[in-house]
Every structure is written in C-alpha cells, then in structure tokens.
Amino acid sequence: MAARLGRTIKAVLFQVHSIAGLVLALLLSLVALTGAIMSFEDEIVDHLNAGIMQVAPRQAPALMPDELVARLKAAQDLGKVSAVTLSSDPSAAVHVRFARDERGDRPTSLYVDPYDARVLGSPRGEAFFATVRRLHRWLLIPDDGKGWGRPITGTIALGLIVMLVSGLVLRWPRRAGSVKMWLKPNLGLSGRGLHRSLHTVIGTWVLPVYLTMTLTGLYFSFEWYKDGVTWLLARPHVTAAKMPAKPPRLANSGPVPSIGFDPAWTTFQREEGGRFSRALLTLPGGPGTTIRIRSWGKASLLETTRDEFRIDAVTGQLASAERFTDKTFGEKIIAAIYDIHRGAILGWPGKLAFMMAAILMPLFSVTGILLYLSRRKLRRAAQTPLGRLVPGE
C-alpha cells in the first residue's frame, strides 16, 4: 500500500514538474541569462568609464552640491536633477542623475567635475544595463515595477521552486548516501540517457544556488512575502516602521518650497565626518521635503552594507539615522538580500558561481524538452496501430 502511494505521489510530481518546465522554460532562461549578464555590472561599468570617473585633485574646495547643479544647468539645458553621488575622495567625479520627463523617460546621467561643474561625459553601458535590468525584473512590461511585470516574474520564481522540490524528490536515489549517485554525470551515455543524466546531476549541482536566487528574488516581487520576511527577521519596531505614514500635505496657502541638497549635505557631513567613502543624495519624488542619503563606509565591500539617513532639506534637521552596524543579524540579512540574491555576499567567487549557474539554466530547458519529446515518441512506438490488431488482442 505504501509503495503504491509512493508511486502515485511520484507520478503526480512528475506531471507537475513536466508541465511547469514546459510552460516556464523560455521565461526561466530569459530571466536567468539577464541575471548572468548583470553579475559583474559594476566592474564592467567602472572599467568602461574609468576615464570620466576620476579628476585631478586640487587645492580648492569642491563645490557644494547646489552650486554644482546650478552651474551645470546654466551651462546646458538639462532636466530636473533627482540625485547626486558625492565622494570623500578628492579625485572622484560627481555622478548626477535626472528625474523622468513627461514621457516617462529618464535622461542619461552625467559625471561632473566636483571643482568647476564641467561635464566629463555620460557613462557608457548605463542604458544597456538599465534595459537588461528591466527585462530581468519586469520582462520590459510597461510601468516597470508598478505594472504586471513584477507579479509575473514572482510567479516564475514560485514555479521554479516547485520544479526544484519536485525534481529533487523524483531523482532521490535508493543509495542516497552515495556522492557518486548524486554528483557524477554519466557522460558515456548517449541520447535520452545522456539528456537525463545531465538534467538531473547538473540540476543537483545548482539546486542550492537556484533556491537562494528564488527565495531572495521573491522579496522583490510580492509585498506579502516581503512583509513575512520582515516580520520573521526584524525587530518589532522595524516591522512596524516598514510602512511609513504618508508625508503631511503642505498648506494650501503657499507654493511648494524649492529644495536643494546643501542643508542635508551639511548635516550629513557633521554626522558622518570622514567615515564615508561615497554618499547618494536623493531628492523626494513627491511633495515632501525629506532627502534620503545612503552612504557607504570606506571598508564597505557590498552594495547593501550602507547607512541611511533622512534629513529635512529646508531646515537640515536629521529625521532618522539607520546604521548598518546597529542592525541585528536578521536585519542585516534583510539589508543584504540583494547581495545574497546575486552571490556577492561571498565576494567575486560567489558572483562567478551564481553567474555560471544562471548561464546553465537553458541547459535544463533544452534537456527537459528533449526528454519530453522522447517520452512522447516512446509512447507512440509502444501503441500498436489499430489496423494491425487481430481478434483476441
């Protein structure tokens, strides 16, 4: 009875695994390959733009951000500046980003000399990687993260988890303790046998990586998943603060005040001193006056090991300071979830391993489809044509 139940469960899992694989094969390969392309984006962009990211340091002090933006706009017709990246390194250029225009397009960013606001150039590779990122996250579906692309890629990730779990159960060998059974493909086979060996064995190699990718990727796809992770890993007051109240509406008696970077930048420098290496200052997208500043320490090697400040752009008053070192272990995991997703938490070897695993995704799509077609061929061959039947058969 138990054996029959086990065979029934495996038969159901086999159908689920096959159907999910056939439906998601192309999309999984697309998402995986675009992720692989972005694995070393930072290193590639830095290499392509090494000539415009550095300036000769001078004795004169660097311009304050508002004066730099004013000189930049006076020199040429530009859109609204939305963010600037400043550095404690006197030889680093300022990176200026712009808000989206009326059509929803974002102008290309610029690197600017911090001493005289001279434009050094636009970063090469920025538009390419921005398109790859939108394809990876939202499949280029309109409205980006606010459209249907986000839940669709999340559903794809859920489908991959189903395939990984069902595939592991289906290939569980009788000698589960044998490393050879788990990890050694039989390259001496050909045809269907070789396809099956590659599909199952290499799938075992990359299963931990794929599970890590999907479990962290879901954090960016579904609010319910993000809320659950935050509830599980963060302290109660952090969980409660996850959904901040909407900023108060400004009084109707006057226009919205024009805000700049200088008061917030002055407060940030007073708070951080010389501990930071670079800081990203972002103007509010709505009617509020709070500037968000993300800063990275001089010893920071990861994108997500950063401090975050919120400072009133009018008064320069510090509203909040969230330092990475003050987080609990669970909160550090949440903060680093993007670096975990791409393997950067393990340094460049981790990024390389995750990139190679992503590149292998089309292998499972191809071998899975070949196995499906060979099964159909075997079934047809096993069915005796009706014209050849004789009485009693």
Side-chain angles (χ1 to χ4, degrees):
M1 185 68 179
R4 183 182 300 175
L5 178 61
R7 286 194 297 269
T8 302
I9 292 174
K10 282 202 169 187
V12 172
L13 288 177
F14 183 77
Q15 292 299 321
V16 170
H17 185 87
S18 300
I19 294 172
L22 290 172
V23 171
L24 301 176
L26 179 60
L27 290 174
L28 281 171
S29 296
L30 178 64
V31 171
L33 290 177
T34 50
I37 291 172
M38 294 190 298
S39 295
F40 289 93
E41 175 185 355
D42 295 338
E43 291 81 356
I44 294 171
V45 170
D46 287 350
H47 176 74
L48 291 175
N49 299 286
I52 63 173
M53 296 175 66
Q54 300 290 321
V55 298
R58 287 160 239 178
Q59 294 296 327
L63 298 174
M64 289 292 285
D66 285 346
E67 184 179 356
L68 183 142
V69 170
R71 290 193 188 186
L72 184 63
K73 287 187 173 183
Q76 54 184 300
D77 184 21
L78 297 169
K80 177 185 176 182
V81 172
S82 64
V84 295
T85 301
L86 304 170
S87 175
S88 61
D89 182 357
S91 65
V94 176
H95 192 193
V96 180
R97 296 179 175 88
F98 300 92
R100 295 186 185 276
D101 56 25
E102 295 79 6
R103 296 176 300 177
D105 299 327
R106 189 184 297 277
T108 183
S109 64
L110 297 173
Y111 278 102
V112 180
D113 191 311
Y115 299 98
D116 57 16
R118 178 173 55 91
V119 174
L120 303 174
S122 298
R124 289 186 292 175
E126 181 180 71
F128 169 76
F129 280 110
T131 301
V132 172
R133 190 176 301 108
R134 290 178 60 231
L135 183 58
H136 178 76
R137 293 178 177 177
W138 308 306
L139 303 176
L140 295 181
I141 293 174
D143 297 326
D144 292 344
K146 297 179 181 179
W148 285 100
R150 185 189 295 270
I152 289 175
T153 53
T155 303
I156 293 170
L158 289 174
L160 180 56
I161 291 177
V162 170
M163 294 170 62
L164 293 172
V165 174
S166 59
L168 180 63
V169 174
L170 289 170
R171 81 145 307 197
W172 197 274
R174 290 187 180 136
R175 289 184 291 139
S178 171
V179 175
K180 180 179 178 180
M181 292 286 291
W182 281 108
L183 302 178
K184 184 179 179 182
N186 190 344
L187 302 179
L189 299 174
S190 61
R192 176 179 171 81
L194 178 61
H195 300 156
R196 177 177 174 79
S197 180
L198 293 175
H199 192 87
T200 57
V201 176
I202 298 180
T204 303
W205 294 354
V206 298
L207 186 143
V209 175
Y210 286 171
L211 272 178
T212 302
M213 288 178 174
T214 51
L215 292 174
T216 52
L218 286 171
Y219 183 85
F220 304 103
S221 295
F222 296 116
E223 285 299 320
W224 58 264
Y225 188 90
K226 186 175 184 178
D227 291 342
V229 172
T230 305
W231 173 83
L232 183 66
L233 297 178
R235 289 168 290 182
H237 74 274
V238 176
T239 304
K242 179 185 173 294
M243 297 295 291
K246 292 183 179 180
R249 292 182 179 272
L250 297 174
N252 295 328
S253 57
V256 177
S258 176
I259 62 175
F261 295 101
D262 284 2
W265 176 238
T266 301
T267 300
F268 169 78
Q269 288 182 304
R270 185 176 66 245
E271 289 289 324
E272 282 291 87
R275 292 191 295 270
F276 77 100
S277 62
R278 60 188 173 96
L280 170 61
L281 287 68
T282 305
L283 291 174
T289 60
T290 301
I291 287 182
R292 182 184 68 186
I293 301 181
R294 290 176 172 175
S295 73
W296 290 263
K298 294 181 177 179
S300 176
L301 300 176
L302 297 175
E303 178 66 24
T304 49
T305 56
R306 60 177 181 246
D307 298 335
E308 186 163 319
F309 301 83
R310 295 186 184 272
I311 304 173
D312 189 280
V314 178
T315 65
Q317 182 177 357
L318 179 67
S320 66
E322 186 179 298
R323 300 182 186 276
F324 185 80
T325 54
D326 294 336
K327 296 179 184 291
T328 64
F329 178 73
E331 290 161 3
K332 287 180 178 179
I333 291 177
I334 295 175
I337 202 162
Y338 175 66
D339 283 323
I340 297 172
H341 178 71
R342 63 196 188 115
I345 197 75
L346 302 175
W348 72 262
K351 290 201 289 187
L352 180 62
F354 274 50
M355 183 186 75
M356 295 303 298
I359 290 173
L360 286 172
M361 181 62 77
L363 171 70
F364 304 110
S365 299
V366 172
T367 53
I369 292 172
L370 290 175
L371 287 169
Y372 170 77
L373 294 176
S374 66
R375 285 196 303 273
R376 286 181 60 86
K377 185 177 179 180
L378 289 173
R379 287 197 197 102
R380 285 197 300 267
Q383 293 174 352
T384 306
L386 292 176
R388 296 183 185 178
L389 290 178
V390 297
E393 287 187 333

